[in-house]
Amino acid sequence: MTFAKMISKKTLTAAVAAAGMMVPLAAEAKDWRGWNIHVEDYPVSHGMEAFMAEVTEKTGGELKGKVFHSGVLGSQPDAIEQLRLGIIDFGVFSLGPMGQAVPATNVVSLPFIFKSVPQMYEIMDGEGGEALGKALEEKGIVALGYYDAGARSFYNSIKPINAPADVAGMKVRVMNNDLFVGMIEAMGGNATPMAFAEVYQSIKTGVVDGAENNPPSYESTSHFEVAQYYSMSQHLIIPECLCMAKKTFDALTPEQQEVVREAGRNSTALQRDLWQKREMASMEIVKAGGVTVNEIADKSAFQAAMAPVYETFLADNPDMVELVDLFRNAE
Ligand code: BDP
C-alpha cells in the first residue's frame, strides 16, 4: 500500500491547507489596523494614509496595514481601549476623549489653555508634548506626532452665541470627557456627552440644540446643514495624536521603529499643512451652505466664565498643578 492511500484524501487536504496557511503567518507580520474617525477626504485621513504608505515603502513591504476611515472600527472611547490592548495598531485620536484613559492629557482640554494655534505647535513640539508622550506611553500608547485640529467653536440651530449667557439653557453635545460637561455647565447650558457619529441626527431631531467643533469637522459631517449658527468662540484648541499601540511598536526592530518615527514626523508635517488649507475651504463651504458666522473679537467673558473649570480640575488633581502651569504659563 502506498503512503498516499494510507491517509484519507480529506485528511491530506486539511494538512496541506493548514501548512499553506501556517507558512505566510509565520513569515510575515500581521497587517496593521488603523483607526480613523473621519471621512476619507480629510486632513487626518490623508496624514494617516501617508504614514502607512511611507512605513510600507521604507521597510520594503515588511510592515503593512490599512486605514479604516469613518469610525467603522468603533467609537473613539472604545478605540482608545483597543489601541491600548494592541487590537488596533495605530490611529489619530483627539486628546479630548483621551483624557479619560490618560489623565495627564486633560491639560489640553482646559478651555483657552493655549493662546493660539502656533503657540500650541510650539508647546506640543517641545516640553509639553514630551510630558504628554510619557504619560501616554505609561498607558500603552506611543505618540508619533501631534496633528492640528484647529480651534473648536459653538454651533447650534437656534441663535448666534455672542456671550456665555447665550449658552444658558441650551442643550449642547460634547465629547466624552467630564471636563467638557463642566465647561458647558459653567455657562448654564446642558451638556450631553455623545459619540461623534450620533451628532447629526441628534441635532436634526432636536435631542440637542448644537455642539462645538472646528470648521473641517463642522463641514465634513454636514452638521452645518442642521445647525446654521456658527459662533467663533474658539474656546478649545485640542491637538490630536498620531498614536501607535505600544504592543505593536515594541515588537518592531530598532530599524523599523526609526522608520515609524520618521514617517510619523513626516505625516505630522503634511497633516498640519493640509489642515490650514482645509480650514479655509470649510469656512467657504459652510457660508455657501447658508450658515451665519459670527466672530467674537473679545473672548474675555468666555475666559472668565471658565474659571470654575480650572478651579475644579486643580482641586481634583493637585498632582497636575505643575503640568497645567507648564502649559498655561508658556509665552
Ligand atoms: C473632531 C475630532 C475627532 C472627534 C470629534 C468629536 O477630530 O477626533 O471625535 O471632533 O467632536 O474635531 O467627537
Side-chain angles (χ1 to χ4, degrees), residues 35 37-38 42 44 76 92-95 97 148-149 152 155 173-176 194-197 199 211-214 216-218 223 238 240 275:
W35 176 90
I37 200 156
H38 293 289
Y42 195 86
V44 165
Q76 186 143 210
V92 171
F93 296 87
S94 166
L95 293 183
D148 194 349
R152 298 173 75 98
Y155 49 85
R173 176 270 173 175
V174 292
M175 286 191 286
N176 194 45
M194 185 188 288
F196 194 38
V199 182
E212 42 86 59
N213 221 317
N214 51 51
S217 279
Y218 176 49
H223 292 178
I238 305 181
E240 307 200 344
W275 183 265

Side-chain angles (χ1 to χ4, degrees), residues 110-154:
L110 290 165
F112 300 106
I113 188 91
F114 294 112
K115 295 184 180 76
S116 65
V117 169
Q119 194 223 18
M120 178 275 284
Y121 281 179
E122 224 179 290
I123 298 177
M124 294 308 289
D125 291 343
E127 236 182 308
E130 216 173 284
L132 299 191
K134 259 190 213 136
L136 285 159
E137 193 141 352
E138 279 165 19
K139 302 284 181 177
I141 298 170
V142 178
L144 299 173
Y146 296 106
Y147 280 16
D148 194 349
R152 298 173 75 98
S153 293
F154 291 110

